[in-house]
Amino acid sequence: MVKRTWCAIAALLLIAAPAGAENGHAAWLRYAPLPPAAAARAGAEVPRAVYRLGAEVTLARAEDELRAGVQGMLGRPLESVNALPPTGAIVLGTLASIRSSAPGLAPAGELPKDAFWLRTVHQGNNSFTVIAGGDARGALYGAFAWLRRLSAGEELGALDAREVPYATVRWVNQWDNIDGSIERGYGGRSLFWANGKVREDLSKAGEYARLLASLGIDAVAITSVNANPLFLTPDFVPQIAKVADVMRPWGVRVAIAIDFGSPQSVGKLQTYDPADPAVAAWWKSRADALYAAVPDMAGFVLKADSEGRVGPSTYGRTHADAANVVARALKPHGGILFYRGFVYDHHMDWRNLKNDRARAAYDNFHPLDGQFDDNVVIQIKHGPIDFQVREPASPLFAGLEKTNEAIELQITQEYFGQARHHVFLAPMWKEALDFDMRAHDQPSPVKAIVAGRVFKRPLGGFVGVANAGDADNWTNNHLSQANLYAFGRLAWNPDLTSAAIAAEWTNQTFGTDPEIGKIVNDLLLTSWRTFENYTGPLGLQTLTDIVGNHYGVAVEASEENGWGQWHRADKQGVGMDRSVATGTGFAGQYPPAVAKMYENVESTPDDLLVFMHHVPYSQPLKSGKTVIQFIYDSHYEGADAVAKYVEQWRGLRGLIDDERYQAVLKQLDYQAGQAIVWRDAVTRWFHRASGISDDSGRVGAYPGRIEAEAARLQGYQLVTVTPWETASGSGAVECPAQTPSCTATFKYTGQAGPRDIVVQYFDVSTGAAHYRVRVAGKVVGEWTANDRIPTRKLDGSSSSRFVIAGVELKPGDEITVEGSPDAQETAALDYIEIRSPK
Ligand code: GCW
């Protein structure tokens, strides 16, 4: 009885929860009420009814979307009608159906597939809004585009807008594994797979398809490129079909990634040699089986001869042989094979100064230009290395003229703070997309090349490695949603500016109040530079633990191993010499005008200076500042900028919902701490390497900081931290596992007054240690280190910060940090810092 009552109350509470509860699940499709002035204007412009022509499910979804959007934003229903009301309506359908049923409303002109036309037609006092698609999917895209305009408060009364997608390929790849984990995924578990099979409940996968459709993305590879051969077994045919069924209503088709060894591992053939007719027949039979169940399947993605994946090299065959054998199996069904250009040797000899991973894509694929079938697309990462914080555009884009191409952009923030740091990637992508390759000395921006416009290719476009999972808000960081949004918008129209995309996203996601726009857009648009500043500027690449988790700082992790992400910093200087004259020759892979620019130190842009050249630390940049001083300054600027983000974000209090306000504030606060870890590690590392001091005297001098090694320790023991630069001073202290607790006591010698106490500690993934801080015996703060940072070690990833604000201190006060280990986590401590309150 008691239990029942509680259930009833709980149910009531659920129902009573504010309609506007914002956990981020609605993403940019919130359809929140418009501010009164915009609502009044739109109220007059938006018809009261919707008339849909055609019964296709995709059109029905478009109608639902319009109804939900108008109801949400204008607070009034949009009535569905079965005949054209003379008093006006939104008329939704394909151009052909509108032309035959309501010829007076149809725009003159044609629309290709996926394109749409938004148009208002006034007849006397009645007005019609026409949403016409080249096909049903185009009409759906039109509905979303119209709603986007409505949400931004745009004028809708005199529309005449025709939009055609820039490219044929607008795909995302999920790196989802069969067990439900996602490689480099930070947004939770897979939306498609769990425990070795398809998820029972695919409703979120359907909602995801809706998000993708709102951007014009029309295909998703639902399995990781590090492909599990099981996905090609007969058992998976109905499972893949199940996913396809929930995505199809939104015009989204599925693809899978395949393993090249499957003819042998799954098909039990003796070989997977692409030249063997039995192998070709096997690929054909698998494609036939899949297409029988999923007739609109989009195709396959293939990573071969890369990072341990098998490929054609086993049999001395070429990538073209490999791609074509699979493409021919897909061809009769209209399927496409995406063959990844990410092929390189990860056992390269680092001692050989001529070796260069950046050359690999071009060296592997350029010689094969013209040998790929016309339903093969070479999928090329935007830079020649691997999604680092700054890279030049891959020279391979200009190196294939008779082959279809797609640019691969990584939406998931593998090298960008893994959704714990806020980095809006559109400005970086734009730089690659807009980069002019000067192929044949003609304008040839990368975006136009991949779309097939420069070399007149029938197929090509944009692929994003997505960041979505089953987290309530899809990405685990509200601001990371902006990256998925930006990818989709750029895939639709790469001519959009980053600022326009940021503004659209912010309007829809947080509201149209100009103050919100000012704050959020500034955070978005400056964040790439900020991240680059505190990680690896000047083309150093992300100075992260590249052989480990790709998260925290580890300056030397890329050196002296076969992975080829070398920056070659030594006592005299830093950078890879990639010139033709004296280096690896990489610069020569670009068309002449670009090659010439990168060949010389003087003409190489500062942002890529040490990517292209090995220079002394004293090398002046264009500004006159030396390389070493720039490394110091940029790191301080980057860390300061994140600290400022926290303050800027506080300006949103009360302007946006508290739920997301608090969540982002917490994330930014964490990031501000991490940016300091990065700043100190990189600057101290280069200070030690170069022996050159910081003109501003900051590196190595930390006012208010007291090292744990210098504290009075009870139970705590000194420990060295690897890499050394990730701990302040000479290391840290830790409390041996199984010890109940240890203490480190610091003496305050400053003036009396309120102070912030910053505690720098280590939060590893193997336990939840507890910390308690006392001042003169009184507890002033305590917390548990239970964040799930991807490391078991004391290092740059686990180094974390807790701030106890506004504590009254007087000279002589003892500050004691008591740490209680848990499991393997040793309540380790790096330092405390006492600073004036902000
Ligand atoms: O950046 C690297 C990632 C791998 C990934 C690989 C690739 C899917 O660290 O996790 O594997 O790129 O793109 O194939």
Side-chain angles (χ1 to χ4, degrees):
M1 185 62 202
V2 173
K3 206 166 158 200
R4 268 250 193 91
T5 315
W6 267 111
C7 287
I9 292 173
L12 269 180
L13 283 176
L14 270 182
I15 294 165
E22 300 268 15
N23 63 1
H25 190 70
W28 51 87
L29 299 178
R30 286 161 64 245
Y31 301 142
L34 291 181
R41 182 157 54 93
E45 289 165 350
V46 173
R48 306 231 146 223
V50 53
Y51 175 45
R52 158 163 62 92
L53 292 158
E56 290 104 307
V57 63
T58 302
L59 281 178
R61 287 289 187 278
E63 179 188 338
D64 294 348
E65 210 58 41
L66 290 169
R67 287 156 48 96
V70 169
Q71 180 69 55
M73 290 188 267
L74 299 182
R76 65 154 160 89
L78 188 63
E79 193 198 339
S80 280
V81 291
N82 295 323
L84 187 64
T87 50
I90 298 180
V91 180
L92 170 72
T94 61
L95 181 57
S97 65
I98 295 173
R99 210 158 259 163
S100 73
S101 304
L105 299 178
E110 287 316 310
L111 279 179
K113 153 182 172 320
D114 292 351
F116 59 82
W117 209 315
L118 307 178
R119 181 166 187 247
T120 38
V121 179
H122 300 280
Q123 296 181 346
N125 284 336
N126 306 316
S127 69
F128 296 85
T129 296
V130 179
I131 301 180
D135 53 3
R137 188 161 63 194
L140 175 66
Y141 294 163
F144 279 117
W146 182 81
L147 288 164
R148 186 158 52 233
R149 287 167 184 260
L150 176 58
S151 72
E154 280 178 33
E155 162 81 52
L156 297 173
L159 278 176
D160 189 13
R162 178 179 183 269
E163 286 195 36
V164 180
Y166 189 90
T168 44
V169 170
R170 304 177 308 276
W171 286 40
V172 292
N173 285 181
Q174 299 282 147
W175 286 353
D176 293 19
N177 296 316
I178 207 163
D179 64 357
S181 61
I182 304 181
E183 182 157 348
R184 315 300 178 187
Y186 315 102
R189 308 284 295 177
S190 170
L191 294 161
F192 311 107
W193 312 104
N195 308 316
K197 51 183 197 311
V198 72
R199 273 183 176 235
E200 295 287 320
D201 177 4
L202 285 171
S203 48
K204 270 198 179 174
E207 293 170 37
Y208 182 45
R210 169 174 171 257
L211 284 186
L212 297 177
S214 75
L215 304 170
I217 293 170
D218 73 350
V220 189
I222 56 175
T223 67
S224 171
V225 291
N226 285 334
N228 189 325
L230 281 178
F231 286 118
L232 276 177
T233 58
D235 276 0
F236 275 85
V237 171
Q239 303 188 45
I240 293 163
K242 231 178 125 182
V243 178
D245 289 345
V246 302
M247 308 201 87
R248 185 174 296 113
W250 298 101
V252 178
R253 299 160 303 144
V254 302
I256 59 166
I258 52 161
D259 176 66
F260 197 63
S262 302
Q264 196 175 58
S265 59
V266 177
K268 305 294 173 221
L269 302 182
Q270 298 293 313
T271 174
Y272 55 89
D273 182 351
D276 189 309
V279 169
W282 188 84
W283 283 114
K284 183 170 178 333
S285 76
R286 290 323 302 147
D288 290 350
L290 277 162
Y291 276 88
V294 188
D296 58 352
M297 189 154 175
F300 292 163
V301 185
L302 174 54
K303 171 178 177 180
D305 278 327
S306 168
E307 299 187 331
R309 315 289 316 169
V310 299
S313 67
T314 312
Y315 304 98
R317 310 286 178 209
T318 69
H319 295 299
D321 298 329
N324 293 343
V325 71
V326 181
R328 284 169 199 165
L330 296 170
K331 177 88 179 172
H333 307 286
I336 303 175
L337 176 75
F338 284 78
Y339 196 92
R340 293 183 86 232
F342 186 61
V343 177
Y344 70 101
D345 172 10
H346 65 278
H347 298 290
M348 248 185 318
D349 183 1
W350 55 271
R351 291 172 207 84
N352 182 342
L353 297 182
K354 297 285 175 191
N355 279 347
D356 187 0
R357 170 169 165 185
R359 293 187 56 110
Y362 187 94
D363 283 346
N364 278 304
F365 288 89
H366 170 71
L368 300 174
D369 192 20
Q371 296 180 31
F372 293 92
D373 282 9
D374 63 5
N375 64 328
V376 175
V377 175
I378 307 298
Q379 180 169 323
I380 305 165
K381 290 194 183 189
H382 82 263
I385 300 281
D386 189 8
F387 303 135
Q388 298 301 293
V389 67
R390 189 179 292 263
E391 297 188 35
S394 172
L396 185 57
F397 293 120
L400 296 176
E401 302 192 0
K402 293 176 283 211
T403 305
N404 302 323
E405 298 177 36
I407 188 170
E408 180 178 301
L409 301 170
Q410 195 184 39
I411 309 167
T412 192
Q413 291 167 235
E414 174 178 0
Y415 290 97
F416 289 84
Q418 308 192 347
R420 291 170 174 277
H421 293 227
H422 145 62
V423 192
F424 180 54
L425 297 170
M428 178 175 81
W429 296 335
K430 279 292 284 181
E431 206 162 279
L433 293 168
D434 292 345
F435 185 79
D436 188 350
M437 285 284 178
R438 302 301 305 166
H440 304 287
D441 259 328
Q442 296 296 313
S444 37
V446 169
K447 60 189 172 192
I449 296 178
V450 298
R453 296 175 174 206
V454 173
F455 301 122
K456 307 285 172 273
R457 300 298 312 164
L459 209 58
F462 309 89
V463 178
V465 178
N467 58 351
D470 72 351
D472 280 346
N473 68 0
W474 305 99
T475 52
N476 255 331
N477 176 345
H478 293 290
L479 299 180
S480 295
Q481 289 180 358
N483 288 326
L484 183 57
Y485 184 86
F487 169 77
R489 296 294 286 139
L490 287 172
W492 180 266
N493 178 7
D495 294 333
L496 290 171
T497 63
S498 300
I501 295 171
E504 279 184 3
W505 179 79
T506 303
N507 276 338
Q508 296 168 85
T509 307
F510 288 111
T512 49
D513 182 327
E515 187 58 22
I516 299 177
K518 219 170 85 208
I519 294 173
V520 179
N521 294 340
D522 184 64
L523 247 70
L524 292 173
L525 294 171
T526 56
S527 58
W528 172 39
R529 178 64 80 181
T530 292
F531 186 79
E532 178 184 41
N533 277 344
Y534 68 79
T535 57
L538 301 177
L540 276 166
Q541 307 176 50
T542 316
L543 295 172
T544 186
D545 184 2
I546 82 117
V547 287
N549 61 15
H550 301 184
Y551 178 64
V553 53
V555 180
E556 279 164 276
S558 54
E559 299 307 290
E560 306 195 0
N561 60 46
W563 290 92
Q565 291 189 217
W566 314 312
H567 51 65
R568 299 204 186 279
D570 56 26
K571 285 200 170 339
Q572 284 73 42
V574 56
M576 279 279 290
D577 181 355
R578 293 187 155 112
S579 68
V580 175
T582 54
T584 68
F586 167 78
Q589 293 183 332
Y590 291 90
V594 177
K596 193 165 158 232
M597 169 175 74
Y598 289 146
E599 179 68 14
N600 299 305
V601 168
E602 296 67 36
S603 49
T604 300
D606 285 349
D607 283 336
L608 286 169
L609 182 63
V610 307
F611 189 95
M612 298 292 177
H613 299 281
H614 186 83
V615 296
Y617 290 115
S618 56
Q619 174 72 37
L621 298 172
K622 310 273 180 292
S623 62
K625 193 183 271 189
T626 62
V627 163
I628 190 71
Q629 193 56 41
F630 186 88
I631 292 177
Y632 297 149
D633 289 351
S634 61
H635 281 80
Y636 277 83
E637 277 162 28
D640 290 350
V642 188
K644 195 165 149 237
Y645 289 164
V646 176
E647 297 316 312
Q648 286 174 277
W649 188 261
R650 286 188 204 280
L652 291 174
R653 178 164 214 154
L655 291 178
I656 65 169
D657 55 287
D658 208 48
E659 214 172 334
R660 290 183 299 166
Y661 169 77
Q662 294 293 351
V664 175
L665 184 62
K666 195 166 159 219
Q667 176 267 311
L668 290 173
D669 202 37
Y670 167 82
Q671 184 181 353
Q674 268 279 306
I676 293 172
V677 176
W678 273 92
R679 178 197 77 187
D680 290 356
V682 176
T683 53
R684 288 171 69 230
W685 193 95
F686 278 96
H687 186 225
R688 185 185 277 191
S690 68
I692 302 174
S693 47
D694 166 26
D695 282 351
S696 307
R698 296 155 301 186
V699 181
Y702 305 98
R705 188 176 291 191
I706 316 175
E707 299 296 335
E709 307 90 283
R712 197 168 78 237
L713 303 177
Q714 250 176 12
Y716 266 122
Q717 299 173 356
L718 301 185
V719 58
T720 49
V721 170
T722 316
W724 67 268
E725 72 271 18
T726 60
S728 185
S730 58
V733 302
E734 66 177 354
C735 186
Q738 318 308 329
T739 316
S741 69
C742 299
T743 59
T745 301
F746 305 81
K747 182 159 256 125
Y748 178 66
T749 54
Q751 312 236 306
R755 296 286 183 272
D756 290 349
I757 303 176
V758 177
V759 182
Q760 197 71 27
Y761 66 102
F762 292 90
D763 187 346
V764 300
S765 59
T766 49
H770 191 77
Y771 293 82
R772 185 174 289 136
V773 180
R774 292 187 175 83
V775 170
K778 199 171 138 259
V779 175
V780 293
E782 58 184 308
W783 70 97
T784 301
N786 57 1
D787 203 348
R788 288 192 309 277
I789 309 284
T791 182
R792 297 161 160 262
K793 298 191 338 218
L794 309 185
D795 59 18
S797 300
S798 52
S799 182
S800 303
R801 183 177 80 149
F802 190 84
V803 180
I804 308 165
V807 182
E808 284 298 335
L809 293 181
K810 52 183 187 327
D813 271 348
E814 290 204 324
I815 302 167
T816 300
V817 181
E818 180 193 351
S820 309
D822 176 64
Q824 298 309 306
E825 189 171 70
T826 55
L829 208 57
D830 190 3
Y831 62 82
I832 69 165
E833 203 165 273
I834 298 173
R835 62 177 199 206
S836 299
K838 294 218 157 136

